[in-house]
Amino acid sequence: VRLLVVGGDAAGMSAASAARRRTDPDDVEIVAFERGVHTSYSACGLPYFVAGAIDDVDELIARSPAEHRANGIEMHTHHEVVAIDVQAGAVTVRDLDAARERREAFDHLVIATGAAPVRPALPGVDAEGVYGIQSIADGIALRERLDASKPARAVVVGAGYIGLEMAEAMHQRGIDVTVIDSGPQPMSTLDPDMGALVADAMRGLGITLHTDTRAQAFERDERGHVRAIVTERETLPCDVVVLGIGVRPNVELARDAGIEIGVTGGIATTSTMATSAERVWAAGDCVQTHHRVSGRAAFVALGTHANKQGRVAGINATGGAATFRGVVGTAVTKICAYEIGRTGLTEREATEAGLDFVSATIESTTRARYFPDAQPITVKVVAERTSGRLLGGQIIGREGAAKRIDVLATALWAGLDVEEIVEVDLGYAPPFSPVWDPTLIAARRVAVLV
Ligand SMILES: Cc1cc2nc3c(=O)[nH]c(=O)nc-3n(C[C@H](O)[C@H](O)[C@H](O)COP(=O)(O)OP(=O)(O)OC[C@H]3O[C@@H](n4cnc5c(N)ncnc54)[C@H](O)[C@@H]3O)c2cc1C
């Protein structure tokens, strides 16, 4: 049996490794193609590498091509898969060093081509100094630029989590950072009241934030280097620009092969990570998945899902039985001292899903109020009005705040209602939480509204 994997990062190599762990190399040959030079790298760590908190980029590489080979996976880097022939069970792969193409047969195929940052088609977007951050090479290029030319002013386009993390990275390097976003608040994955707290936090840090502001063009200097961003209101001078306006799934290969693409733009997959084509599986940022709370299709490009989906695809592609039962929309991030967590549906998303809801927001502390270093935390909980079923949660606070979202994520996964959450046996001691954990206080507050 021959298993081919397209894409050598989180999803692809999770699939290859899971397949390798459960099969004998004499029975199953596993071959992976990656068009870049790195494998199993952590894009999630790039903001901290750019900030200088991590010095050696190799620390972001969980497994090199050589380690994969030692593990019994035939790993080809600098190899791009350019076509899939589903009927024949073969791919066309281009060796980027030799500039030669060849066909490779498969019995099973895992597509793990990831996603690419959106680059708006604006005048000047190709100016030197305008960066998208997705690959290790992108991170190295940006860091080298910051080290070499010590820019004074940076503009980050997009105030989602990658925009915030990149703003933090450059702010910590002493660069004057402006963040612009076309929406009315940073972090559009939060409700406006919680987004407003993020905006306050950013401004408090000395980061300039322009909401309802759209980039229209990038001005270049005589060297072709970006020198300003033009918005509808003003021209913002800058020496470097980082784009953080989202990602699009890389689905061209799959689409061209006649594999079904879902309504969100990702490859349609089942809970076994099967695609519409027999013996073809897909995982990671290139796929569409199922949102367990809204019941709808979702596109959520996160490493946590890529790893789990890859494992499921690898097991199923080698005759095992595993499932990926969807997402609840959990995510955490931070900007300097401020931590942000979210799970489930916001009020807006609950409305869109046609759900009648109640919500409550509470302020508490991350440790007992009297304990040294107790930090403020704000927790919002959204619940279905009639049943009390938990629909979602949002958290903003200082150290110790964000990961509390996992309590609400677990409750959502289990389908608990807010009355039940109030009863959950969470750990308590003054250095870790108030006697009522902030998540339970919020659940208690919303329970009386149900
Ligand atoms: C700055 C940043 C911070 C992030 N932080 C977090 C975080 O904190 N938490 C979190 O959960 N997620 C985070 N993510 C998201 C996470 O990195 C991705 O979800 C994850 O990398 C997806 O893995 P993947 O394998 O599906 O896709 P990718 O990592 O995109 O890998 C796909 C690979 O396929 C290769 N490829 C594509 N097409 C072909 C082809 N035709 N032939 C051969 N090779 C091909 C690409 O070169 C690439 O290496 C972050 C992402 C970025 C950019």
Side-chain angles (χ1 to χ4, degrees):
V1 175
R2 196 156 201 256
L3 170 65
L4 294 193
V5 176
V6 191
D9 194 23
M13 298 324 290
S14 293
S17 304
R20 186 67 301 155
R21 271 195 297 277
R22 56 189 312 282
T23 57
D24 195 308
D26 292 334
D27 301 331
V28 179
E29 187 188 359
I30 302 172
V31 185
F33 298 106
E34 163 56 49
R35 65 183 171 200
V37 290
H38 299 291
T39 56
S40 302
Y41 49 90
S42 170
C44 315
L46 286 175
Y48 311 101
F49 170 70
V50 170
I54 296 155
D55 232 12
D56 184 356
V57 80
D58 286 343
E59 287 185 34
L60 300 186
I61 295 165
R63 246 183 221 164
S64 66
E67 287 171 298
H68 283 302
R69 284 180 204 121
N71 205 21
I73 296 164
E74 198 185 307
M75 180 82 237
H76 298 276
T77 51
H78 257 187
H79 278 66
E80 181 171 15
V81 173
V82 293
I84 301 170
D85 184 340
V86 171
Q87 255 70 47
V91 301
T92 305
V93 57
R94 183 177 295 148
D95 176 340
L96 298 176
D97 292 325
R100 255 201 313 268
E101 287 185 3
R102 63 176 190 267
R103 269 169 81 88
E104 294 269 1
F106 64 79
D107 297 300
H108 285 268
L109 178 72
V110 176
I111 303 176
T113 44
V118 173
R119 252 187 125 79
L122 294 174
V125 71
D126 292 328
E128 275 268 338
V130 179
Y131 294 88
I133 294 291
Q134 180 76 10
S135 65
I136 292 280
D138 296 334
I140 293 174
L142 175 58
R143 173 139 170 200
E144 281 178 356
R145 157 132 224 127
L146 301 184
D147 287 345
S149 68
K150 306 254 179 303
R153 291 161 305 187
V155 173
V156 176
V157 184
Y161 84 93
I162 290 183
L164 258 55
E165 290 175 7
M166 295 312 300
E168 168 185 296
M170 294 191 285
H171 176 74
Q172 286 179 339
R173 295 182 63 121
I175 301 170
D176 186 2
V177 179
T178 298
V179 179
I180 68 171
D181 195 285
S182 59
Q185 64 174 75
M187 295 298 293
S188 62
T189 52
L190 303 175
D191 278 323
D193 53 335
M194 299 298 273
L197 298 180
V198 178
D200 290 347
M202 290 171 73
R203 292 185 174 121
L205 290 166
I207 292 170
T208 307
L209 173 68
H210 294 299
T211 51
D212 294 311
T213 302
R214 216 171 261 282
Q216 294 189 323
F218 301 85
E219 281 183 5
R220 315 163 192 248
D221 62 18
E222 57 291 341
R223 295 168 304 147
H225 197 278
V226 67
R227 68 162 184 216
I229 284 198
V230 183
T231 73
E232 58 265 77
R233 254 174 264 135
E234 59 191 319
T235 297
L236 301 165
C238 57
D239 312 304
V240 64
V241 171
V242 175
L243 301 173
I245 49 177
V247 296
R248 263 198 213 108
N250 291 327
V251 298
E252 293 72 18
L253 258 187
R255 181 184 286 129
D256 292 348
I259 293 167
E260 185 187 336
I261 307 300
V263 287
T264 63
I267 300 170
T269 53
T270 67
S271 60
T272 59
M273 306 317 297
T275 69
S276 64
E278 237 182 283
R279 299 180 295 139
V280 180
W281 314 80
D285 281 5
C286 60
V287 308
Q288 166 173 301
T289 185
H290 166 73
H291 197 296
R292 291 166 61 96
V293 187
S294 70
R296 296 179 169 191
F299 171 69
V300 186
L302 284 176
T304 174
H305 308 317
N307 278 279
K308 293 188 185 114
Q309 292 169 344
R311 175 180 163 275
V312 168
I315 291 173
N316 292 328
T318 48
T323 49
F324 181 81
R325 290 187 291 146
V327 303
V328 294
T330 311
V332 289
T333 187
K334 80 177 194 57
I335 181 155
C336 298
Y338 296 91
E339 300 185 354
I340 302 159
R342 60 98 62 222
T343 191
L345 307 181
T346 57
E347 292 187 3
R348 180 175 47 78
E349 289 166 334
T351 306
E352 281 167 11
L355 295 163
D356 192 12
F357 61 84
V358 287
S359 70
T361 305
I362 63 99
E363 281 168 24
S364 180
T365 47
T366 54
R367 305 166 192 256
R369 207 165 282 279
Y370 53 81
F371 201 86
D373 285 334
Q375 301 288 346
I377 175 172
T378 304
V379 182
K380 177 171 186 173
V381 164
V382 182
E384 195 169 28
R385 184 188 293 275
T386 43
S387 67
R389 173 171 71 114
L390 177 68
L391 294 178
Q394 299 160 57
I395 295 180
I396 296 170
R398 292 195 173 226
E399 190 173 5
K403 280 293 275 179
R404 283 193 151 91
I405 203 69
D406 288 345
V407 171
L408 298 175
T410 308
L412 260 186
W413 190 271
L416 300 189
D417 65 42
V418 281
E419 280 291 357
E420 289 169 315
I421 296 170
V422 174
E423 291 183 53
V424 171
D425 179 8
L426 301 182
Y428 158 65
F432 304 107
S433 81
V435 66
W436 281 89
D437 189 86
T439 51
L440 300 193
I441 302 173
R444 211 174 59 191
R445 192 70 60 81
V446 93
V448 300
L449 303 173
V450 171

